[in-house]
């Protein structure tokens, strides 16, 4: 089944922050929510083989059942004892006194998290990190239908597993909130895709607590009104909902109808300027690749000039037919902005690094280490 309408944006490949914001609100999208499975505990089990098959509980010191504080994360073996994150550590200890209790090693987890984020960025530039172990990825440009979306998701999971020996669950949906629910449904190692026509039937039977904005207070209020499922909320009288909950009522009605048009929040500054192109069919012919790259260089140059920017680093991105993506870059001693400088660099990179045995699905060019004319002026001033 197609995620309706996603094919429309094929071929119009631009990726940096500016373009993300220009997405029209009602454009159909392919959003991934990637959530690492039992992240802290999984990192501990990965790094310490004797923990692999054991209930591992990361959190406060249990102090033999007297400890204060809570469970931060626990392995799936620990969940069998009824332990879950946010449970008081003393209670966890009573449920499973023989578990492996560890204090969080945040520095190590942050390091792993950063490497996983780098993997995300080899798939898309539009990444919204939600926390240390989960993020939204806008994959609309790479996945034009559900088969492609699933293929990309499997590839992403396999890459994380290969490079970090950790598992992730992925939810795929036309918007953020449905994707987030979907990633949770089949944890661990889940992969759930909810296509646009399936959104409503996916949501309807779920408990209202699944909706963003429904905390314990709102939940008990809704339950008193006889609303337990998303279907019941959706059918409830609109006026009464808005009268009792105000703007929240309006928001919940939208969500229960599967409507969530929020764009991904990409916090990174636009530190680079780039253009990409996904081919309708994978390309092996070097002349075609070079012709496309030349065009991309001209577009990048145009935009740099329009903003009075120039950059010292020129990067080439290649995505092969199996989704493996490489980026190779070269740095100039002086910032450049003209296609006459950018293209020869890109040309050298593709001649040097392309694997000619493989076909290519996407090429991209970007210029980074950007400077404005004012920056350059200031640097020249410093020289004096
Ligand atoms: Mg997680």
């Amino acid at each position: 089944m197609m995620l309706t309408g996603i094919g429309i944006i094929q071929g119009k490949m631009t990726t940096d922050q500016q373009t993300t914001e220009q997405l029209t609100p009602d454009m159909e999208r392919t959003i991934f929510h990637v959530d690492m499975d039992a992240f802290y505990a999984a990192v501990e089990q990965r790094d310490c083989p004797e923990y692999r098959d054991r209930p591992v509980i990361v959190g406060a010191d249990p102090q033999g059942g007297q400890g204060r504080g809570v469970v931060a994360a626990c392995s799936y073996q620990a969940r069998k004892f009824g332990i879950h994150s946010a449970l008081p550590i003393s209670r966890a200890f009573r449920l499973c006194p023989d578990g492996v209790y560890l204090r969080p090693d945040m520095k190590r987890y942050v390091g792993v998290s950063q490497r996983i984020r780098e993997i995300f960025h080899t798939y898309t530039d539009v990444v919204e990190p939600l926390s240390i172990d989960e993020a939204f990825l806008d994959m609309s440009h790479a996945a034009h239908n559900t088969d492609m979306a699933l293929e990309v998701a499997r590839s992403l999971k396999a890459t994380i597993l290969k490079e970090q020996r950790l598992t992730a669950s992925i939810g795929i949906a036309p918007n953020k909130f449905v994707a987030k629910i979907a990633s949770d449904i089949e944890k661990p190692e889940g992969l759930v895709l909810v296509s646009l026509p399936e959104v409503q039937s996916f949501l309807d039977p779920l408990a209202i607590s699944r909706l963003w904005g429904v905390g314990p207070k709102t939940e008990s209020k809704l339950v008193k009104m006889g609303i337990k499922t998303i279907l019941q909320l959706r059918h409830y009288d609109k006026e009464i909902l808005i009268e009792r909950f105000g703007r929240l009522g309006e928001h919940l009605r939208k969500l229960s109808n599967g409507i969530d048009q929020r764009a991904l929040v990409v916090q990174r500054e636009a530190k680079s300027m780039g253009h990409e192109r996904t081919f309708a069919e994978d390309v092996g012919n070097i002349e075609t690749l070079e012709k496309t790259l030349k065009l991309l260089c001209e577009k990048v140059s145009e935009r740099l000039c329009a903003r009075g920017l120039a950059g010292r680093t020129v990067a080439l991105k290649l995505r092969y037919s199996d989704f493996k993506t490489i980026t190779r870059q070269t740095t100039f001693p002086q910032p450049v902005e003209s296609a006459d400088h950018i293209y020869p660099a890109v040309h050298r990179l593709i001649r040097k690094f392309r694997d000619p045995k493989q076909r290519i699905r996407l090429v991209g060019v970007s210029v980074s280490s950007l400077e404005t004319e004012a920056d350059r002026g200031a640097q020249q001033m410093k020289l004096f």
Side-chain angles (χ1 to χ4, degrees):
M1 209 179 308
M2 294 280 289
L3 283 173
T4 315
I6 279 165
I8 298 168
I9 59 166
Q10 181 168 15
K12 202 175 74 185
M13 288 306 111
T14 50
T15 51
D16 60 4
Q17 190 182 4
Q18 290 80 21
T19 22
T20 318
E21 288 165 354
Q22 284 163 12
L23 280 175
T24 52
D26 56 355
M27 183 186 283
E28 306 306 346
R29 300 172 296 161
T30 304
I31 308 297
F32 283 20
H33 180 252
V34 185
D35 190 7
M36 301 304 296
D37 299 324
F39 184 56
Y40 302 170
V43 172
E44 297 294 348
Q45 287 183 313
R46 176 192 77 175
D47 296 347
C48 196
E50 57 266 39
Y51 297 161
R52 295 257 161 98
D53 301 311
R54 302 199 50 199
V56 171
I57 299 100
V58 180
D61 185 347
Q63 297 179 1
Q66 303 304 304
R68 292 152 61 86
V70 296
V71 174
C74 65
S75 70
Y76 286 89
Q77 292 87 350
R79 290 176 200 212
K80 289 187 189 135
F81 292 84
I83 299 173
H84 53 82
S85 55
L87 189 76
I89 199 79
S90 55
R91 175 123 180 79
F93 190 80
R94 264 174 273 138
L95 290 168
C96 181
D98 297 325
V100 178
Y101 287 85
L102 303 168
R103 301 303 83 68
D105 182 352
M106 292 314 293
K107 217 174 137 189
R108 191 150 47 102
Y109 308 151
V110 168
V112 178
S113 172
Q114 277 165 352
R115 286 193 289 278
I116 292 167
R117 212 161 284 174
E118 284 162 19
I119 297 174
F120 293 160
H121 278 284
T122 66
Y123 283 80
T124 174
D125 292 330
V126 188
V127 176
E128 177 184 354
L130 275 187
S131 71
I132 188 167
D133 78 325
E134 57 184 305
F136 288 114
L137 280 60
D138 191 329
M139 298 299 306
S140 307
H141 65 288
H144 310 304
N145 58 46
T146 56
D147 285 344
M148 281 174 89
L150 288 169
E151 193 185 336
V152 176
R154 286 191 199 105
S155 160
L156 173 56
K157 283 173 67 161
T159 305
I160 296 171
L161 186 63
K162 187 165 151 245
E163 293 185 14
Q164 288 299 317
R165 289 182 291 126
L166 293 169
T167 66
S169 294
I170 302 183
I172 308 171
N175 63 47
K176 284 168 46 164
F177 110 93
V178 178
K180 184 160 163 70
I181 297 174
S183 72
D184 195 47
I185 294 268
E186 281 184 10
K187 260 184 164 306
E189 297 182 50
L191 174 53
V192 173
L193 181 146
V194 184
S195 69
L196 194 59
E198 296 166 332
V199 163
Q200 201 62 66
S201 57
F202 173 77
L203 291 176
D204 277 348
L206 298 176
I208 42 164
S209 57
R210 289 278 187 178
L211 294 176
W212 280 4
V214 177
K217 253 181 151 176
T218 309
E219 187 186 357
S220 72
K221 245 170 122 179
L222 287 165
V223 168
K224 271 184 205 144
M225 293 159 69
I227 305 172
K228 286 181 187 158
T229 66
I230 292 177
L231 175 74
Q232 288 167 332
L233 179 66
R234 187 157 71 82
H235 285 165
Y236 206 83
D237 187 286
K238 184 184 171 188
E239 262 62 59
I240 302 178
L241 268 184
I242 291 169
E243 186 193 299
R244 300 220 184 143
F245 296 95
R247 281 184 61 185
L248 177 63
E250 188 77 67
H251 163 78
L252 294 179
R253 259 184 64 82
K254 269 193 185 156
L255 291 186
S256 66
N257 283 288
I259 298 165
D260 173 19
Q261 294 175 336
R262 288 167 305 164
L264 269 63
V265 181
V266 181
Q267 283 163 345
R268 279 184 318 157
E269 284 273 310
K271 285 179 187 147
S272 69
M273 197 157 282
H275 272 281
E276 294 182 0
R277 162 104 205 196
T278 300
F279 297 104
E281 270 174 40
D282 296 356
V283 172
N285 176 306
I286 184 74
E287 282 77 31
T288 310
L289 295 170
E290 287 176 349
K291 218 172 93 194
T292 309
L293 285 169
K294 188 148 197 230
L295 209 75
L296 294 176
C297 288
E298 282 161 8
K299 284 187 176 177
V300 171
S301 172
E302 256 170 49
R303 278 172 58 212
L304 287 170
C305 293
R307 289 163 194 238
L309 292 168
R312 276 180 292 112
T313 303
V314 172
L316 164 74
K317 179 165 158 184
L318 299 176
R319 179 167 293 149
Y320 293 104
S321 49
D322 63 357
F323 289 99
K324 186 176 167 6
T325 305
I326 63 162
T327 306
R328 296 291 180 270
Q329 59 185 45
T330 184
T331 299
F332 288 92
Q334 294 294 326
V336 296
E337 75 267 78
S338 138
D340 293 341
H341 291 114
I342 300 168
Y343 179 65
V346 168
H347 184 261
R348 279 194 299 279
L349 289 170
I350 192 160
R351 290 277 169 171
K352 191 165 170 196
F353 292 109
R354 177 181 73 115
D355 175 359
K357 291 191 290 294
Q358 290 202 63
R359 295 171 82 80
I360 288 176
R361 59 182 297 128
L362 172 150
V363 290
V365 172
S366 68
V367 175
S368 58
S369 311
L370 297 182
E371 293 176 20
T372 60
E373 271 155 336
D375 291 334
R376 275 172 275 163
Q379 266 166 13
Q380 277 167 359
M381 289 299 288
K382 267 193 219 155
L383 291 176
F384 294 103

